[in-house]
Amino acid sequence: MLTLLLQEGADTLPSLAAEEEPVEKTLSLLDLLMSGGLPGQIIILVLFVLLFVAIYIYFERLFAIKAASQMDSNFMNQIKDHVANGNIEAAKILCAQQNSPVSRLTAKGISRIGSPLEDINTAIENSGKLEVYRLEKNVSVLATIAGAGPMIGFLGTVIGMVLAFHQLATSSGQAEMGNLAEGIYTAMTTTVAGLIVGIIAYMGYNHLVVRTDKVVHQMEATAVDFLDMLNEPA
């Protein structure tokens, strides 16, 4: 009987040991970002602000450029018909209804009809520069954030390593790993956050540049068509 009880007890020991195995502790992203102490938290906060600004500028400019690129495919044909018939006012009204960079560029050329062709071309070029400036508004901020984000992250890296070595120096080389971990967390988390902000801002900047170039090409093509129309013999 005693042998049977001992055998049963031995059989239950592995199961009890298995039940009492330590549970692996998981670390959330927020906990990871906040583990770097006050210097790391300040840098992470700055990077989050830059990320919010970058996302806001990207979507604001994206919608503005998208609206600027929309134009009736029959717009220039209608303009040519109005100008050919001498109905300048109707052409101006049509440009005002479109309210796009291309239509404003065309309206500027229409308002100069009767002047030398060189003056019309100069007026269209000056108007085009203003339209490009409007399209590129605040886009340069994205480029700045794309460069500043990783640099701020690397600043956090240096600060974290300074804190870690300072801890070692003040403890005569016998610092506890828990105290060193704060500086190391600061170094690693700020680097990752800075790179994420820089990558997002860089990709957003390049995408906006491509979309802006398409609108600029559209304006240039329209200006050429308009000047060619004025050069056509009556």
Side-chain angles (χ1 to χ4, degrees):
M1 185 60 142
L2 181 58
T3 304
L4 180 60
L5 290 174
L6 291 174
Q7 183 65 33
E8 290 178 353
D11 294 339
T12 57
L13 284 177
S15 61
L16 291 175
E19 292 176 358
E20 294 177 358
E21 286 183 358
V23 180
E24 184 179 354
K25 185 179 179 181
T26 59
L27 189 64
S28 67
L29 179 60
L30 181 60
D31 292 336
L32 180 62
L33 294 176
M34 295 295 105
S35 299
L38 183 60
Q41 292 173 6
I42 293 174
I43 292 177
I44 292 294
L45 179 62
V46 172
L47 290 172
F48 268 122
V49 172
L50 292 178
L51 179 61
F52 174 79
V53 172
I55 292 175
Y56 172 80
I57 292 176
Y58 170 74
F59 282 105
E60 188 272 333
R61 285 291 87 199
L62 181 64
F63 293 141
I65 294 171
K66 184 178 180 181
S69 62
Q70 295 177 351
M71 187 184 69
D72 186 2
S73 58
N74 200 34
F75 172 73
M76 282 307 299
N77 292 330
Q78 293 176 328
I79 291 294
K80 289 178 181 180
D81 291 340
H82 290 316
V83 173
N85 295 328
N87 198 349
I88 304 300
E89 288 301 322
K92 291 181 179 179
I93 293 173
L94 180 61
C95 291
Q97 290 174 347
Q98 290 289 326
N99 192 26
S100 66
V102 170
S103 65
R104 288 191 288 269
L105 214 65
T106 306
K108 179 62 67 173
I110 292 173
S111 65
R112 295 291 192 275
I113 290 180
S115 302
L117 195 60
E118 184 178 350
D119 293 344
I120 298 175
N121 187 27
T122 302
I124 292 177
E125 287 181 356
N126 293 335
S127 180
K129 292 177 182 178
L130 293 176
E131 294 297 334
V132 172
Y133 174 78
R134 292 189 187 124
L135 289 173
E136 294 178 345
K137 180 182 177 182
N138 293 330
V139 175
S140 60
V141 177
L142 274 181
T144 303
I145 294 175
M151 293 177 66
I152 294 174
F154 293 148
L155 174 63
T157 302
V158 175
I159 291 175
M161 298 309 296
V162 168
L163 292 176
F165 282 111
H166 179 266
Q167 186 65 32
L168 278 174
T170 55
S171 61
S172 300
Q174 296 179 354
E176 296 181 1
M177 290 303 298
N179 295 330
L180 291 177
E182 184 173 311
I184 297 173
Y185 269 127
T186 300
M188 296 298 100
T189 55
T190 53
T191 301
V192 173
L195 290 174
I196 290 174
V197 172
I199 290 170
I200 292 175
Y202 181 73
M203 294 177 64
Y205 171 77
N206 281 314
H207 184 238
L208 292 179
V209 168
V210 171
R211 295 293 297 267
T212 302
D213 287 343
K214 290 182 179 179
V215 179
V216 171
H217 175 73
Q218 193 177 40
M219 289 191 296
E220 290 175 348
T222 302
V224 170
D225 288 343
F226 182 79
L227 293 174
D228 288 344
M229 176 190 66
L230 296 181
N231 277 325
E232 292 179 356

